[in-house]
Amino acid sequence: MEIEIKTLEKGPYKKLKCDKENVFEMRNYSSVLSEPFLPVATGVKVFMYSFHDIPGFCICFPISYSPLPTILKDLGVRNINLKDFSYLRSFQNLMWSDLFRTSFDKTGDLSYANYLIAPTNKKNISWASIKTALGVDKKTKFTSLNTSTIEKQVYLSPPSKSKYYYVMKISKHTQASDIINNVSKKSLYSQEIPDDIHREITEKAIEMFNDALKTHPVSYFPLVLLRPVKVARKKEGLLKKKHTPVSLKIVPQKILEIFYLTRKQVRNASKLIKALIALEKYTYLIEFVDRFKFTGDFSLLRDATTSPQYDNLNNCIPIINLGHSILKIISSLQLYFRFPDKSEYSLTETRSNLIKNKNLSKINMNQELFYYLRCSKIKQKSFRPAYYTGPMLSSEITILTEKFSDKILADEVKSLIGAFYLSSGFVGAGIFIYKLRILPIEEWLKTKKQLDSSYKGQINANDMRIFKFKNFDDLIPRPENFSLCQSLDYESLEKLINYKFQNTQILDEAFTHKSINNYKNYERLEFLGDAIIDTIVVTNIFNIKKLSPEKLTLIKHILINNPVLSRLAISLGLQNYIKSIKEVYDEILKYFTILKWEEDLLDYGVYNSYPPKCLNDVFLSLIGAVLIDSGNLDLTCKVFTPFIKNLIVYLVQNEEKYDMNVRYKLKTFCQKNNRKLETRTRVDNIGIVAEIYVAGEYVCESVEQTSWMAKQLASKKAYYIISK
């Protein structure tokens, strides 16, 4: 017997770019799903999967579904003989026509998708059901009922052979009270039926039962009470809509025929449609895996390519900041090696241009990553499964009419980088970054050597339980005294940080202020340290709690700032190693005279002192020095995590307490004192300028690269000035 495995010609699969405003037309699935089933010596090769939450059905693909979605279970590769394969393919339109309650003879366009759904008996295809449905197996009799499974069946009742499901059996000895006790309060879809509707069903059943006792002869018994199967798809808010009268039927059991699908299979049909919609979209990820060699869990890739609008629970939000942090450290390393003569300012500017949203958005468009992004849902009512020819509206084509913002496209790139990092570490994320051409290939090999191992954070849920805050010294240990005495005793510093330098000349550079040497100073190492501290904070927080990007950004601003990092430097005595001119030492000594060690980190943005920036800088440059000396990013992160561990845990434990940031505090302060607050922003050559005016008078300003940060820092200064 010969059979054509796939009769459909391939259509256009990917894009029709309509205009310059990011309007696209694309199928709901990748072209890999339209591949033909492969013939083998014994028939046809299929990849068979069952559904985790949809018992009674399996799906056969012409391809291996890798990575495997969490909604599927792999049943292995099966070879189906040509005759049975022909039955299975013919069965598709019949089954969907019955489930959608449309005419089997209706003809419409077929989907280009190529998969087959089959009812199952345990883990095997129920060929008896398929052959009975097609009328092939004339010997199978479905008129005898097995009492152990009678409640699980859907029945066909003549003369119209409408579909019903079983409610209860009625014998000659049945009483009206038995009906009250046996009529289930669950609907076909396992929904709880409201009391008034259940009462109506019961009353009608009793009325029909009394009539049946009078009209049916004894030979007709036993009877069965049935309810019609109205729809295959579960509708949201079905029971909230206007109630239609209950329809019941009492017929002799012997005249019924069993439908080829069980009650459970009919009930799960709506879930089946939802799963198929998801699976069709997930096939783009098969293409992604093949293209970028992703080896991680499917859930990571699914979340990274899912917008909050599509799924408000599992989406890209938690890993956007993670991906941004990984991109920041890898790009920082590459630029450090690529431009050995560039200053810290120039390196920062170059990095900002590389990883800013506008550039990442352009990368997304060039690499067509948006095809993997799920942002619009398909309505179940208009979904067309494979091989269904009924008169349903086809949603095989989705018109993406939204104008993707730079942020949406950039966020997808960042979240994918985060997914690669979680699955294959710094190296995997780095390879993906270079494949996207975010960074040039120059100095990649030197950069890659620093990424051979993968730091995944050292803080866990147990640290959250055991840490108890008593005073600020629990967060940053207070030094014995605040002093400044120049020292070259690097051995004591190495003991403090638990790291032995191979080349102490890198330490000389790490502590050299630019006032001494304008070319060979700590600024380039500080550039690296800034990216590393960001990675330490983000990866550890990701381990213990999935925070929103806004909350995570706020924690980073609280931790990675001059007052906090300067205290970490003082705690280690780093001021004693700074090589600088006298004016810098005087500035440090002056600061020590006014220093109040205790700091309320939860009162974000309002600090009790403003330390010299060089203290903050040398802490970051020391981190960069360890990285360059060790050539190991993983080791560097492990060396410095203990110094900020308690700070991270404390802020995550108290995340609800610092929502009221400094701008809100400033606004509240002005309102209480009946003073009008005004914030003006303008773009300058060096960044965005935020100016604060109180009661019409200029107070202060701040210049930053983002409007948000400029407003925050300007508000912090203003609050400090006007609240004295």
Side-chain angles (χ1 to χ4, degrees):
M1 178 180 181
E2 294 184 359
I3 183 172
E4 188 179 357
I5 304 303
K6 180 68 176 174
T7 60
L8 298 172
E9 295 181 0
K10 291 186 180 181
Y13 289 104
K14 272 202 173 178
K15 71 176 180 179
L16 170 60
K17 192 167 183 177
C18 303
D19 55 37
K20 295 180 180 179
E21 295 183 335
N22 300 346
V23 180
F24 299 92
E25 180 181 282
M26 60 185 287
R27 294 200 184 281
N28 299 322
Y29 49 85
S30 167
S31 58
V32 297
L33 193 57
S34 63
E35 295 292 325
F37 287 94
L38 296 177
V40 293
T42 55
V44 178
K45 178 182 179 180
V46 302
F47 295 87
M48 192 164 142
Y49 302 89
S50 62
F51 298 90
H52 264 291
D53 299 321
I54 313 176
F57 290 101
C58 70
I59 185 168
C60 299
F61 286 114
I63 55 171
S64 174
Y65 216 122
S66 177
L68 189 65
T70 53
I71 59 177
L72 291 182
K73 290 188 289 187
D74 191 357
L75 297 180
V77 180
R78 307 287 177 93
N79 291 336
I80 302 175
N81 67 60
L82 292 178
K83 189 175 183 180
D84 285 346
F85 184 81
S86 176
Y87 292 151
L88 181 56
R89 197 177 65 172
S90 300
F91 172 75
Q92 302 303 300
N93 190 46
L94 174 64
M95 180 189 70
W96 292 120
S97 298
D98 282 335
L99 290 176
F100 295 162
R101 298 186 67 79
T102 59
S103 172
F104 176 70
D105 299 327
K106 296 277 185 178
T107 57
D109 295 333
L110 282 174
S111 167
Y112 286 100
N114 190 24
Y115 55 81
L116 300 168
I117 301 296
T120 57
N121 182 8
K122 295 183 179 179
K123 293 184 179 181
N124 297 310
I125 294 175
S126 178
W127 292 107
S129 296
I130 293 172
K131 292 176 181 179
T132 300
L134 295 172
V136 175
D137 191 351
K138 303 294 184 181
K139 297 179 181 179
T140 304
K141 300 294 183 182
F142 277 78
T143 54
S144 60
L145 298 177
N146 185 329
T147 55
S148 64
T149 61
I150 188 170
E151 295 184 7
K152 300 178 182 179
Q153 302 300 329
V154 172
Y155 303 99
L156 300 178
S157 176
S160 62
K161 290 200 173 182
S162 297
K163 298 178 189 66
Y164 294 84
Y165 66 92
Y166 176 89
V167 177
M168 66 174 290
K169 186 176 181 179
I170 299 174
S171 70
K172 292 180 289 185
H173 306 294
T174 301
Q175 303 294 321
S177 59
D178 297 328
I179 294 177
I180 296 173
N181 295 329
N182 284 286
V183 173
S184 174
K185 286 200 70 174
K186 297 278 186 173
S187 72
L188 175 63
Y189 303 106
S190 299
Q191 293 172 309
E192 193 74 23
I193 298 175
D195 291 339
D196 56 337
I197 298 178
H198 182 256
R199 193 181 309 112
E200 181 185 346
I201 294 171
T202 306
E203 290 173 355
K204 186 163 187 177
I206 293 173
E207 180 183 343
M208 294 179 67
F209 165 69
N210 291 329
D211 291 340
L213 290 178
K214 300 174 184 177
T215 57
H216 287 74
V218 177
S219 60
Y220 274 38
F221 284 83
L223 308 176
V224 285
L225 176 63
L226 306 172
R227 283 195 70 184
V229 177
K230 295 204 180 276
V231 292
R233 300 179 184 185
K234 177 180 175 180
K235 294 181 180 179
E236 295 295 332
L238 181 65
L239 298 178
K240 295 179 181 179
K241 295 182 180 180
K242 186 177 180 180
H243 174 57
T244 55
V246 176
S247 178
L248 298 172
K249 192 180 188 74
I250 294 180
V251 296
Q253 178 177 296
K254 61 184 179 181
I255 71 168
L256 297 179
E257 294 180 3
I258 297 179
F259 190 41
Y260 58 87
L261 296 180
T262 66
R263 179 176 175 178
K264 180 184 287 187
Q265 288 168 332
V266 173
R267 182 173 67 241
N268 285 334
S270 61
K271 295 181 183 178
L272 189 61
I273 294 297
K274 187 176 181 180
L276 291 178
I277 291 173
L279 287 174
E280 286 198 4
K281 280 194 168 289
Y282 289 157
T283 54
Y284 274 105
L285 300 186
I286 297 178
E287 185 181 296
F288 180 92
V289 167
D290 181 63
R291 179 181 172 190
F292 293 104
K293 311 306 176 188
F294 180 80
T295 58
D297 291 338
F298 176 85
S299 58
L300 287 175
L301 197 53
R302 177 205 61 201
D303 291 354
T305 54
T306 301
S307 70
Q309 293 80 12
Y310 188 87
D311 187 338
N312 61 357
L313 295 177
N314 302 304
N315 53 56
C316 63
I317 293 299
I319 53 178
I320 289 174
N321 268 305
L322 181 64
H324 176 81
S325 179
I326 302 305
L327 176 58
K328 182 178 178 180
I329 180 58
I330 292 177
S331 60
S332 298
L333 265 171
Q334 196 258 9
L335 293 174
Y336 180 88
F337 292 122
R338 186 181 172 202
F339 302 111
D341 298 324
K342 274 193 174 184
S343 67
E344 181 266 344
Y345 175 82
S346 181
L347 289 174
T348 301
E349 188 176 39
T350 305
R351 183 182 64 192
S352 297
N353 289 331
L354 284 172
I355 67 177
K356 65 182 179 181
N357 283 352
K358 191 172 186 62
N359 186 55
L360 295 181
S361 171
K362 184 178 178 181
I363 295 289
N364 189 313
M365 297 295 291
N366 290 340
Q367 298 291 334
E368 298 183 345
L369 295 179
F370 57 87
Y371 286 123
Y372 310 114
L373 180 63
R374 289 179 299 284
C375 54
S376 58
K377 290 189 176 182
I378 302 171
K379 294 182 179 179
Q380 294 190 36
K381 287 184 178 181
S382 61
F383 175 71
R384 179 178 293 275
Y387 291 98
Y388 175 58
T389 62
M392 301 298 296
L393 296 174
S394 175
S395 64
E396 185 178 30
I397 299 294
T398 296
I399 306 294
L400 300 180
T401 57
E402 57 254 70
K403 298 176 183 178
F404 291 122
S405 68
D406 287 340
K407 184 178 185 307
I408 290 173
L409 296 176
D411 283 350
E412 185 190 15
V413 174
K414 294 174 188 176
S415 58
L416 284 170
I417 292 171
F420 271 90
Y421 164 75
L422 291 171
S423 65
S424 49
F426 288 121
V427 174
I431 292 172
F432 178 64
I433 289 169
Y434 280 92
K435 280 185 177 179
L436 293 184
R437 300 180 184 176
I438 298 174
L439 300 175
I441 197 65
E442 290 90 344
E443 304 299 341
W444 162 238
L445 293 179
K446 191 178 288 187
T447 303
K448 185 180 178 183
K449 288 180 181 178
Q450 319 286 316
L451 311 175
D452 282 345
S453 51
S454 181
Y455 176 78
K456 295 294 180 67
Q458 295 172 273
I459 304 176
N460 53 45
N462 187 53
D463 295 307
M464 290 282 287
R465 289 192 296 269
I466 64 176
F467 176 75
K468 304 296 182 185
F469 175 77
K470 297 177 183 176
N471 53 57
F472 191 76
D473 288 354
D474 292 330
L475 304 180
I476 305 177
R478 183 194 303 262
E480 292 183 6
N481 54 68
F482 302 121
S483 62
L484 177 59
C485 51
Q486 289 181 274
S487 172
L488 292 176
D489 181 15
Y490 291 144
E491 289 186 6
S492 58
L493 175 60
E494 289 173 334
K495 289 179 182 178
L496 280 175
I497 65 174
N498 196 27
Y499 176 77
K500 179 70 176 176
F501 279 88
Q502 301 173 42
N503 177 16
T504 55
Q505 288 184 352
I506 195 70
L507 275 175
D508 290 334
E509 181 182 339
F511 291 116
T512 299
H513 192 271
K514 67 178 180 179
S515 61
I516 294 292
N517 190 327
N518 198 38
Y519 299 101
K520 197 73 171 177
N521 53 58
Y522 60 59
E523 289 187 345
R524 283 173 54 83
L525 292 173
E526 176 206 342
F527 168 76
L528 287 179
D530 173 69
I532 297 168
I533 199 75
D534 187 279
T535 299
I536 293 173
V537 170
V538 173
T539 52
N540 277 289
I541 291 177
F542 189 86
N543 277 354
I544 54 181
K545 195 159 190 179
K546 304 299 183 286
L547 299 177
S548 67
E550 294 77 17
K551 187 63 68 77
L552 185 54
T553 299
L554 189 55
I555 288 184
K556 285 201 299 180
H557 284 312
I558 294 173
L559 277 179
I560 308 173
N561 61 56
N562 195 15
V564 174
L565 296 185
S566 292
R567 279 170 172 74
L568 287 168
I570 296 169
S571 179
L572 292 170
L574 300 188
Q575 72 274 7
N576 297 319
Y577 300 98
I578 296 177
K579 301 174 181 63
S580 180
I581 61 175
K582 183 178 181 298
E583 285 78 5
V584 174
Y585 296 139
D586 291 342
E587 189 180 3
I588 295 172
L589 289 172
K590 181 180 178 181
Y591 172 67
F592 283 163
T593 62
I594 62 170
L595 173 59
K596 298 177 182 177
W597 188 253
E598 296 285 337
E599 193 73 82
D600 186 1
L601 296 180
L602 302 183
D603 197 6
Y604 168 62
V606 184
Y607 302 107
N608 60 44
S609 61
Y610 294 90
K613 188 176 180 296
C614 64
L615 295 173
N616 167 94
D617 294 346
V618 293
F619 181 77
L620 295 177
S621 64
L622 178 62
I623 298 174
V626 172
L627 174 60
I628 297 303
D629 185 71
S630 66
N632 191 317
L633 179 57
D634 179 274
L635 175 62
T636 306
C637 291
K638 288 178 179 177
V639 167
F640 288 95
T641 295
F643 297 106
I644 60 172
K645 174 181 174 180
N646 288 349
L647 286 163
I648 293 172
V649 172
Y650 175 67
L651 289 174
V652 174
Q653 284 179 340
N654 295 278
E655 59 166 310
E656 301 85 5
K657 296 182 180 179
Y658 49 80
D659 277 342
M660 189 177 74
N661 65 31
V662 67
R663 282 184 56 75
Y664 185 80
K665 290 177 73 70
L666 177 62
K667 180 180 178 181
T668 303
F669 181 87
C670 291
Q671 286 176 342
K672 287 181 178 179
N673 292 276
N674 296 317
R675 302 168 74 182
K676 182 182 178 182
L677 172 66
E678 184 181 1
T679 305
R680 302 174 188 173
T681 58
R682 56 185 170 84
V683 179
D684 204 340
N685 293 331
I686 57 175
I688 298 175
V689 182
E691 300 174 335
I692 302 295
Y693 292 82
V694 176
E697 295 183 2
Y698 171 85
V699 178
C700 64
E701 67 181 42
S702 181
V703 184
E704 292 293 330
Q705 294 303 308
T706 65
S707 174
W708 183 88
M709 195 59 187
K711 290 177 181 178
Q712 289 289 336
L713 294 180
S715 299
K716 178 178 69 173
K717 292 178 184 178
Y719 186 85
Y720 182 76
I721 293 170
I722 70 173
S723 63
K724 282 186 174 181

